[in-house]
Amino acid sequence: MGYGLMFENSCEVGVFSKLTNAYCLVAIGGSESFYSTFEAELGDVIPVVKTAIGGTRIIGRLCAGNKNGLLLPHTTTDQELQHLRNSLPDQVVVQRIDERLSALGNCVACNDHVALTHTDLDKETEEMIADVLGVEVFRQTVAGNVLVGSYCAFSNRGGLVHPHTSIEDLDELSTLLQVPLVAGTINRGSEVIAAGLTVNDWTAFCGSDTTATELSVIESVFKLREAQPNAIVNEMRNSLIDSYV
Amino acid sequence: MAEEAGMFMVHQTIGSVLCCKCGIPMQPNAANMCVKCLRSEVDITEGLKKNAILVHCPECDTYLDPPSTRIRAQLESRELLAFCLKKLKLKPAGVNLVNAEFIWTEPHSKRIKLRVRVQKEVLNGAILEQAYVVEYVQQEHMCDSCTRVQANPDQWVAAVQLRQHVAHRRTFFYLEQLILKHDAAVRAIKIKQMDHGIDFFFGNRSHGVKFVEFVGKVAPVRSRSDKQLVSHDTKSNNYNYKYTFSVEISPICREDLICLPPRVAVSLGNLGPLVICTKVTNSIALLDPFTLRHCFLDADQYWRTPFKSLLTSRQLVEYIVFDVDFISPEVNIGGSRYALADAQVARVSDFGKNDTIFNIKTHLGHLLKPGDYALGYDLHAANSNDMELDKYKNLVIPEVILVKKSYEEKRQRKRGKPRSWKLKSLNMEVDETTRGRGDQEKSNSEYEQFLRDLEENPELRFNMSLYRNKEYQPSEMASMTDGEDMPSIPLEELLADLEITDAEDEDGDMRA
């Protein structure tokens, strides 16, 4: 679990990296410390690939992927596409799609089984997502925001959503995704969850502004601690239910 | 929005998140921190003034609003609250005022405490509200005008000396009423009655100038002004002066008989040299009693060629009218009605003693009936030393010129009974030492004459306020039965006097 990360003085880790169960993409930055943190944590398990997409460093917000595939926007150059195809494992399908909403990372949030997408996404793109990533696609909003990819981050074990999400929405999303969800913040009260946090099934990386409270919430909902997951989730749910009654 | 469109909306319950700093469950807000954590992070009152100084003048109970305005405010009043808040300069600091109230402090402590509640936007859109206490120290410092008054209470800066060189004070009684009606002398520090006039003292030159202009509008005057250096500050080049205005009112009064100098008579269209002055406002109205022509003389015109009256109302003699013959029908000259008539009159002093009867022309034909009393100038017996009169050769001087009708008989019956109305007066200082006993009686009779004048002439009353006399008993009047009642002032013209001390006050509605 990496916390206290900074990419060139910004705590928005999820903007400059993309973490899945099969690979990790990292932006090319000025100093190597960002890359080396990921290397240290993940180096012997999954490949950590340095890349740019469309010449930009905000790769976390431009691409969407899970262990089955990776979707890239139409702004990706051929060289980058080739580089990614070469670096990633063979079972990961790398596909460039033509979509008007090219910041796929903001529009799509997915784990290995389910994906939530922007409500205005094209039909073809939806099919492509279902095809390449091998997931079930749901068009949803989170706390009234259509950019689901920004305001929620989830893995196969749990998820964190925008703090203003109502209880009903939380229940609905949780039913769809079949994972426990909690509303919370990242990076000292920031609501843009996926920008500050990048997570997979066994590890997560957060920005340096994240407070201890936020860290404990993340650790418990994504089950990154070694304690009994159910007990923690119930404990969390209890405290939540207590407060709104 | 969606609700109005009739769509089914799921009821949204706001969930709770943990405060990112302290971890207690709370409702999500823009900063996602609980209020205590937010308060501990951000103090919106930092940088705002918590102490300030108010400068107060103990004499006039006002506060200084720099650089030179003064604000009068009671303790714990709205004006004081507004003034104190202004000193805090909240708007430039970017905070919004929500509430402000006084905290009670002992007046002797010279401290004023205010609890102010302000709002400010912090972090990403969260609005934080916080209350804090501001303490004001009240410093006592006398203001400039109070210092001056303390140093010398009689200090005046401008003096207006009003003079009229005639033997009576009728004009000044009339002016006094006008001044009271228009409140022209409210700013006067002192009013002093002098020989042949009144002196007004003001604390400011502009007040004096305003007063002089007011007098210029109501009487034909000429004035000149002067100033005298009192002190001089060499460093700041401030000069303090005493200003004096000398205002002279023309000696022509109502009902005066005037012999116009030849130049003036010619310039007015050969108006008969003997004229009567009928009205004096800021111009003089002259009437030729034999041709019923009238004209106006402006103040400027008069003072270019000033002249004196031949005979004044002191020299009026009472006549009894025997016969009146109309020569011309009643005409309306400048608002008043006159009719030229031949009349047979005799002096009351002659009446019964001898047969001296005068056949004269008079302009009062519409008023007089046989048996009436009238007042007029006795030119037959007068010894006029007027130079102007001598300038006219071949001038036929009439023997009697009647001026007004006399109500003397009726007044005799009413003598001693109080009037239904009264007048207010200015509080003037009178120099007691220079006046003798005779003067007192003379001024009383002059005042009585002035009041009678008011009763007889409605146009004179136009510009003044008459007040109802509380002690007047109307029942006594009912017992009087005479064919022709003497003129009295109708009740509608009287204003109800406002009595502040009276508990059961009159309705006090003033007629305009």
Side-chain angles (χ1 to χ4, degrees):
Chain A
M1 160 101 205
Y3 45 83
L5 287 188
M6 279 199 123
F7 180 84
E8 289 183 3
N9 218 26
S10 163
C11 332
E12 310 292 342
V13 174
V15 174
F16 301 105
S17 63
K18 187 99 197 146
L19 179 63
T20 67
N21 289 327
Y23 55 87
C24 178
L25 302 176
V26 179
I28 303 169
S31 83
E32 287 293 315
S33 58
F34 192 64
Y35 174 73
S36 55
T37 319
F38 282 92
E39 239 335 83
E41 191 75 23
L42 309 163
D44 31 356
V45 186
I46 53 174
V48 182
V49 181
K50 273 210 229 175
T51 181
I53 295 183
T56 67
R57 297 181 297 180
I58 49 169
I59 58 172
R61 302 293 93 220
L62 289 180
C63 64
N66 60 10
K67 73 174 195 311
N68 300 323
L70 177 65
L71 291 170
L72 297 168
H74 62 88
T75 53
T76 321
T77 63
D78 294 332
Q79 279 164 319
E80 290 157 357
L81 187 57
Q82 200 56 44
H83 169 66
L84 280 168
R85 282 227 176 95
N86 291 342
S87 322
L88 293 180
D90 289 330
Q91 63 266 38
V92 178
V93 180
V94 179
Q95 182 77 17
R96 179 169 58 184
I97 57 176
D98 238 334
E99 162 61 56
R100 183 179 64 96
L101 305 167
S102 56
L104 296 175
N106 284 336
C107 299
V108 174
C110 62
N111 62 8
D112 293 331
H113 310 291
V114 185
L116 294 178
T117 63
H118 192 295
T119 50
D120 297 336
L121 220 58
D122 288 346
K123 206 74 178 83
E124 300 95 65
T125 313
E126 195 183 325
E127 286 166 9
M128 197 69 94
I129 295 171
D131 210 16
V132 169
L133 300 181
V135 292
E136 215 180 323
V137 179
F138 297 105
R139 288 171 192 258
Q140 268 293 340
T141 63
V142 170
N145 274 307
V146 287
L147 293 177
V148 287
S150 308
Y151 290 106
C152 79
F154 58 95
S155 70
N156 295 324
R157 324 252 319 255
L160 186 64
V161 293
H162 189 288
H164 289 197
T165 315
S166 63
I167 305 280
E168 290 84 10
D169 276 356
L170 213 53
D171 286 338
E172 188 186 340
L173 286 170
S174 188
T175 324
L176 281 178
L177 302 175
Q178 293 294 311
V179 293
L181 292 178
V182 84
T185 65
I186 188 80
N187 278 344
R188 195 172 262 272
S190 167
E191 295 157 347
V192 193
I193 310 294
L197 167 74
T198 182
V199 65
N200 71 4
D201 285 347
W202 67 85
T203 189
F205 294 89
C206 314
S208 60
D209 273 351
T210 314
T211 61
T213 319
E214 291 163 343
L215 275 178
S216 70
V217 169
I218 290 164
E219 278 185 355
S220 40
V221 78
F222 289 110
K223 301 188 192 50
L224 302 172
R225 273 183 289 195
E226 265 63 60
Q228 270 287 341
N230 282 339
I232 291 166
V233 169
N234 286 342
E235 183 188 290
M236 185 71 65
R237 272 283 159 83
N238 282 342
S239 67
L240 288 175
I241 288 167
D242 263 350
S243 53
Y244 80 79
V245 154
Chain B
M1 306 277 290
E3 284 100 339
E4 287 158 16
M7 273 174 58
F8 171 71
M9 287 293 293
V10 182
H11 171 62
Q12 310 277 4
T13 321
I14 309 287
S16 66
V17 289
L18 302 186
C19 163
C20 66
K21 267 190 88 170
C22 58
I24 64 169
M26 57 164 227
Q27 294 252 327
N29 61 29
N32 291 316
M33 276 197 257
C34 64
V35 183
K36 290 206 181 69
C37 292
L38 201 53
R39 281 246 177 88
S40 68
E41 288 246 334
V42 184
D43 179 15
I44 57 175
T45 65
E46 144 189 46
L48 294 177
K49 264 173 127 173
K50 306 260 175 31
N51 291 299
I53 294 181
L54 295 178
V55 179
H56 176 246
C57 169
E59 294 294 317
C60 50
D61 198 21
T62 54
Y63 293 88
L64 179 69
D65 189 9
S68 56
T69 4
R70 300 204 73 92
I71 304 219
R72 177 178 293 272
Q74 298 277 33
L75 277 182
E76 309 221 343
S77 67
R78 241 178 342 155
E79 295 90 18
L80 190 60
L81 190 64
F83 180 60
C84 292
L85 287 175
K86 207 157 53 131
K87 272 201 173 293
L88 285 184
K89 293 208 182 53
L90 291 176
K91 255 283 143 51
V95 298
N96 290 331
L97 178 68
V98 174
N99 190 20
E101 59 188 5
F102 280 107
I103 300 175
W104 184 82
T105 48
E106 179 73 46
H108 278 284
S109 66
K110 303 277 178 228
R111 301 279 187 276
I112 297 176
K113 282 208 179 121
L114 223 60
R115 176 171 288 121
V116 181
R117 187 168 267 278
V118 289
Q119 255 184 8
K120 192 172 175 178
E121 192 180 301
V122 292
L123 292 184
N124 27 335
I127 297 182
L128 204 58
E129 196 175 280
Q130 194 173 337
Y132 68 107
V133 175
V134 186
E135 183 174 318
Y136 296 87
V137 178
Q138 185 176 313
Q139 277 179 359
E140 303 288 336
H141 183 90
M142 254 188 359
C143 61
D144 282 342
S145 40
C146 289
T147 351
R148 247 181 244 132
V149 168
Q150 281 275 344
N152 183 2
D154 285 332
Q155 183 90 327
W156 53 267
V157 175
V160 178
Q161 296 174 313
L162 214 54
R163 298 284 181 270
Q164 188 188 34
H165 296 292
V166 281
H168 57 85
R169 289 191 75 90
R170 266 189 327 169
T171 324
F172 290 108
F173 293 140
Y174 176 62
L175 268 182
E176 183 186 348
Q177 293 307 313
L178 273 186
I179 289 171
L180 277 171
K181 168 104 183 179
H182 291 99
D183 281 338
V186 268
R187 309 286 204 134
I189 300 175
K190 196 163 69 151
I191 304 174
K192 201 159 164 196
Q193 197 174 350
M194 306 288 277
D195 179 38
H196 280 200
I198 310 179
D199 278 356
F200 295 83
F201 298 96
F202 298 94
N204 200 323
R205 181 178 178 269
S206 51
H207 299 155
V209 168
K210 188 168 173 203
F211 184 74
V212 169
E213 277 175 10
F214 169 73
V215 176
K217 279 199 204 85
V218 297
V221 297
R222 73 174 163 186
S223 70
R224 49 169 289 169
S225 70
D226 243 325
K227 62 185 186 210
Q228 179 190 17
L229 185 65
V230 171
S231 69
H232 169 212
D233 181 355
T234 42
K235 292 283 160 47
S236 64
N237 278 339
N238 278 344
Y239 297 83
N240 285 340
Y241 290 100
K242 269 195 195 307
Y243 302 91
T244 43
F245 300 87
S246 168
V247 178
E248 189 185 339
I249 308 179
S250 81
I252 310 289
C253 303
R254 273 183 68 244
E255 297 162 3
D256 276 358
L257 185 68
I258 304 163
C259 181
L260 293 172
R263 272 243 183 99
V264 179
V266 160
S267 75
L268 292 174
N270 266 331
L271 206 58
L274 288 173
V275 289
I276 301 178
C277 172
T278 45
K279 196 160 143 175
V280 176
T281 53
N282 59 340
S283 59
I284 304 172
L286 301 168
L287 173 76
D288 182 346
F290 305 118
T291 57
L292 287 187
R293 275 174 58 200
H294 75 298
C295 74
F296 289 93
L297 263 188
D298 227 355
D300 290 332
Q301 279 176 302
Y302 172 77
W303 285 110
R304 238 174 273 149
T305 45
F307 48 83
K308 284 217 182 58
S309 4
L310 189 62
L311 291 171
T312 64
S313 48
R314 274 267 186 80
Q315 281 106 5
L316 282 172
V317 173
E318 205 171 346
Y319 288 86
I320 182 165
V321 177
F322 290 132
D323 197 16
V324 177
D325 254 330
F326 276 95
I327 298 181
S328 84
E330 205 169 296
V331 286
N332 194 328
I333 313 271
S336 325
R337 301 197 324 264
Y338 298 111
L340 210 50
D342 269 331
Q344 256 194 357
V345 299
R347 277 186 291 222
V348 163
S349 51
D350 287 342
F351 190 51
K353 290 199 198 104
N354 53 32
D355 273 330
T356 330
I357 292 188
F358 301 102
N359 288 313
I360 53 149
K361 264 202 185 145
T362 171
H363 63 286
L364 297 174
H366 64 299
L367 275 181
L368 298 173
K369 287 181 284 299
D372 271 347
Y373 288 84
L375 289 167
Y377 291 109
D378 190 359
L379 289 165
H380 173 84
N383 184 9
S384 26
N385 265 331
D386 205 56
M387 291 206 304
E388 309 292 345
L389 214 49
D390 297 336
K391 285 195 193 145
Y392 287 98
K393 308 193 176 39
N394 312 325
L395 178 63
V396 174
I397 304 178
E399 288 143 348
V400 179
I401 297 184
L402 293 178
V403 165
K404 60 180 182 182
K405 187 166 163 182
S406 159
Y407 299 96
E408 196 55 46
E409 285 282 310
K410 303 181 185 84
R411 289 202 190 277
Q412 300 253 353
R413 277 179 243 166
K414 206 186 159 260
R415 184 171 298 172
K417 297 213 175 71
R419 293 192 162 80
S420 63
W421 51 276
K422 63 181 165 96
L423 295 171
K424 283 201 175 143
S425 63
L426 283 176
N427 61 339
M428 292 193 247
E429 258 178 43
V430 180
D431 206 359
E432 287 299 328
T433 55
T434 59
R435 298 166 111 257
R437 172 104 28 101
D439 285 340
Q440 185 66 21
E441 289 177 8
K442 190 170 79 153
S443 65
N444 280 348
S445 66
E446 271 183 0
Y447 195 64
E448 177 65 31
Q449 186 63 38
F450 170 65
L451 293 180
R452 279 191 209 155
D453 255 350
L454 279 189
E455 277 182 344
E456 290 169 17
N457 290 296
E459 57 196 42
L460 213 56
R461 296 198 289 267
F462 174 67
N463 246 339
M464 27 177 118
S465 323
L466 303 144
Y467 296 94
R468 235 180 271 156
N469 188 358
K470 288 221 182 57
E471 291 104 38
Y472 174 66
Q473 317 289 343
S475 56
E476 294 182 34
M477 274 299 285
S479 62
M480 278 202 18
T481 51
D482 44 35
E484 194 183 312
D485 212 351
M486 57 151 249
S488 61
I489 301 182
L491 211 55
E492 305 87 58
E493 280 192 28
L494 303 182
L495 301 172
D497 199 0
L498 290 179
E499 294 258 2
I500 304 171
T501 53
D502 226 23
E504 30 102 352
D505 56 297
E506 324 195 357
D507 47 352
D509 51 320
M510 312 280 270
R511 244 190 80 217

